[in-house]
Amino acid sequence: MSPTSIRRRFHISVDIETTINATPQERPEHVPYYQAFVQRLLAHPKILDQLQRSTAADALKGAEKMVALEYGWDKRSDQQLLQPLIEQLEPAAQAYFIEEIEAGVSVYYFDGLEATVKQWSMAELDRDVLDQ
């Protein structure tokens, strides 16, 4: 008896720290402007929260690349993973999984794989305002 689907759930945890600097990296003469701006942010916690959450969400793109590098997904394409398996099938089944992407260029294609985000959350772990 063959399964109708194969299901696995993965938990990928990423901690992201955001920092808002009160001093510019360049041009020390602009320190007062930075500090005045940071004081305005501190006076508007809702905007500060939105800004830091937005920055954290943007950082997920970098985390995605790090996970891909760690697990080797960037080194082998789905095509490379599927090819040896499909080549073991009978010719009619092989033909079913071939898709022509350009004139004369064919690739193996399997559309039975999908991923769904089951839940997500963003939680603040700690909050520090550093005085120097």
Side-chain angles (χ1 to χ4, degrees):
M1 195 164 151
S2 295
T4 57
S5 62
I6 303 165
R7 184 169 290 134
R8 290 177 70 189
R9 185 176 285 204
F10 296 90
H11 176 81
I12 299 173
S13 178
V14 179
D15 291 344
I16 297 172
E17 180 177 279
T18 64
T19 303
I20 296 177
N21 294 308
T23 58
Q25 293 178 353
E26 299 175 6
R27 306 188 68 123
E29 65 271 17
H30 293 159
V31 168
Y33 306 140
Y34 266 66
Q35 290 178 345
F37 180 71
V38 169
Q39 288 301 316
R40 289 287 84 214
L41 279 173
L42 290 170
H44 293 87
K46 189 172 183 176
I47 293 172
L48 175 61
D49 184 61
Q50 289 173 333
L51 181 63
Q52 287 187 294
R53 288 177 186 271
S54 170
T55 302
D58 284 345
L60 281 174
K61 296 169 191 152
E64 178 182 10
K65 291 176 184 172
M66 289 179 213
V67 171
L69 283 169
E70 178 68 24
Y71 292 100
W73 297 326
D74 65 320
K75 296 176 185 146
R76 294 188 74 191
S77 68
D78 288 350
Q79 173 70 28
Q80 290 171 311
L81 292 171
L82 295 173
Q83 184 174 351
L85 300 175
I86 291 174
E87 287 177 348
Q88 294 174 12
L89 299 173
E90 62 183 60
Q94 286 181 30
Y96 176 81
F97 290 109
I98 290 178
E99 182 175 285
E100 190 170 312
I101 57 172
E102 294 178 19
V105 178
S106 298
V107 295
Y108 291 115
Y109 179 72
F110 174 71
D111 65 354
L113 184 62
E114 64 182 56
T116 305
V117 175
K118 291 303 214 177
Q119 72 179 30
W120 66 272
S121 65
M122 180 184 292
E124 183 177 323
L125 299 176
D126 55 18
R127 182 182 298 234
D128 293 325
V129 177
L130 304 175
D131 295 320
Q132 293 182 352

